[in-house]
Amino acid sequence: MSHESAPNATATPLLGQSPAELAEWVTQQGQPAYRGKQLHNWIYDKGARSLDDITVFPKKWREQMRSAGVGEIGRSTIVKRAVARDDTVKYLLQMADGQIVETVGIPTEKRLTVCVSSQVGCPMACDFCATGKGGFTRNLAAHEIIDQVLTVQEDFERRVSHIVFMGMGEPLLNTENVVAAVRSLNQDVGIGQRNITISTVGLPGYIRRLGNLQLQATLAVSLHASNQPLRERLIPSAAQYPIGELFEECRDYVKQTGRRISFEYLLLAELNDWPEHADELAQQLRGFQSHVNLIPYNPIVEVDYKRPDSQRVSGFKRALEDQHIAVSVRYSRGLDVDAACGQLRSSELQRLAETTAL
Ligand code: SAH
């Protein structure tokens, strides 16, 4: 960052900062360092949305901060909340600049999972995905990712246990902010890194770069095809990334981190769900520390792929199991409110952003 921007203390929101950074900030603002710990507690545990909410702080100081426009926490506003029949909740969250992203809260008895977005829109343009149809606007900042998790936690009045980067966007195109968010979600919000999954379509060099950072988070790779021509047909960016190179980076990642990789395989009826595809996939994954997640396609309006029936899904699963591949089926939740995998769409959000008076 350039020198000229340094005096602008409002530039970095407080959300995402560690106890030490917050202590430094409060001291710079003329308060004793112990108030940093209080600030941390109010931001991450008590849901403070502005310094004004923090009643343990001197009123006069809060007023000073407010009139100077200093000390923005960096929380979003919920503009829409839709509850699905299976209790999954989809949120449309508006950021400070008016942009909107979608976040999904997925409760079970034991878990509360948040599906977070890493970008406004997505540049990857995968043919089967609604987000890709709307184009790309910008990366999310770390605090805008953390905010999604706090929002779900507060709304459910329950601790979030798991996070998946499977909302809008390609997380590895925003590696720096995603990794900063993962670290803060781990250290400041208290979510185990092993309960955090980063899902990527894969881009040359990016998986290796992530491996070098030695996170304990799980990496999920959206494979969706067992060979290069089929993969290119579904994922345009695959044309610049031969499947062999992708696997090579994945093998290196396992070596670098000691963590196994999840492969996501979207099942499109009569396209990539034939027995020979299962055989080909099993061959590719032989001896690889991995787990396959099969995702039956969730329909979107723009394309006419078909969702396979449960017989085809279990047939594909059995074929992989027969070849000793660890595999499970992920039936998406929240289908009736368009909250399922691949159904988060940026074009609709953009329209909403334009019509929402700010
Ligand atoms: N960009 C990341 C995160 C995207 S969303 C990635 O590609 O992994 C998470 C998962 O949902 C990805 O595996 C994605 O391919 C999948 N997905 C996209 N559209 C889908 C659809 N219509 N039905 C089911 N899964 C879909």
Side-chain angles (χ1 to χ4, degrees), residues 122 128-130 165-167 169-171 199-201 222 224 264 266 295-298 300 330 341-342:
C122 183
F128 44 80
C129 177
F165 280 82
M166 295 185 186
E170 169 45 51
S199 178
T200 180
V201 72
S222 295
H224 303 339
E264 291 159 289
L266 178 67
I295 318 174
Y297 168 67
N298 299 310
I300 63 166
R330 191 168 73 213
C341 285

Side-chain angles (χ1 to χ4, degrees), residues 183-311:
R183 295 216 155 105
S184 172
L185 286 165
N186 179 222
Q187 284 160 22
D188 301 312
V189 184
I191 296 166
Q193 279 206 26
R194 284 166 188 256
N195 290 352
I196 302 179
T197 299
I198 299 174
S199 178
T200 180
V201 72
L203 292 135
Y206 282 70
I207 293 175
R208 192 167 289 121
R209 201 149 61 89
L210 187 72
N212 283 332
L213 298 177
Q214 296 287 350
L215 292 181
Q216 288 301 302
T218 300
L219 180 67
V221 174
S222 295
L223 192 60
H224 303 339
S226 51
N227 61 58
Q228 179 67 12
L230 192 51
R231 193 159 194 268
E232 274 182 36
R233 184 167 152 195
L234 302 172
I235 303 171
S237 64
Q240 281 83 50
Y241 197 24
I243 201 164
E245 261 178 49
L246 167 65
F247 279 124
E248 206 179 298
E249 276 197 56
C250 288
R251 283 179 209 281
D252 286 351
Y253 183 90
V254 173
K255 272 192 224 135
Q256 283 166 300
T257 61
R259 310 269 301 139
R260 79 178 179 172
I261 288 188
S262 287
F263 286 104
E264 291 159 289
Y265 192 99
L266 178 67
L267 284 171
L268 302 159
E270 292 166 32
L271 186 70
N272 67 354
D273 68 340
W274 296 102
E276 57 262 36
H277 295 126
D279 286 348
E280 202 171 26
L281 181 60
Q283 248 164 44
Q284 304 261 29
L285 297 181
R286 192 146 294 142
F288 201 134
Q289 273 188 59
S290 63
H291 182 97
V292 175
N293 259 313
L294 301 174
I295 318 174
Y297 168 67
N298 299 310
I300 63 166
V301 292
E302 291 89 346
V303 285
D304 57 3
Y305 294 121
K306 288 198 297 275
R307 184 182 172 103
D309 60 26
S310 55
Q311 266 183 340

Side-chain angles (χ1 to χ4, degrees), residues 15-81:
L15 182 60
Q17 298 199 33
S18 67
E21 288 165 334
L22 291 174
E24 195 187 324
W25 184 80
V26 289
T27 345
Q28 276 165 8
Q29 304 305 326
Q31 290 293 316
Y34 75 87
R35 293 223 179 267
K37 195 144 188 259
Q38 289 179 323
L39 183 55
H40 191 270
N41 183 244
W42 279 77
I43 290 175
Y44 295 101
D45 295 326
K46 296 193 180 213
R49 308 187 78 82
S50 78
L51 288 182
D52 256 343
D53 291 343
I54 309 179
T55 45
V56 291
F57 282 177
K59 199 154 190 243
K60 199 156 160 249
W61 179 76
R62 286 185 271 147
E63 278 164 10
Q64 275 168 12
M65 294 291 110
R66 180 162 21 105
S67 51
V70 171
E72 183 210 342
I73 291 184
R75 297 298 311 267
S76 68
T77 314
I78 302 177
V79 288
K80 196 174 160 197
R81 183 179 177 277

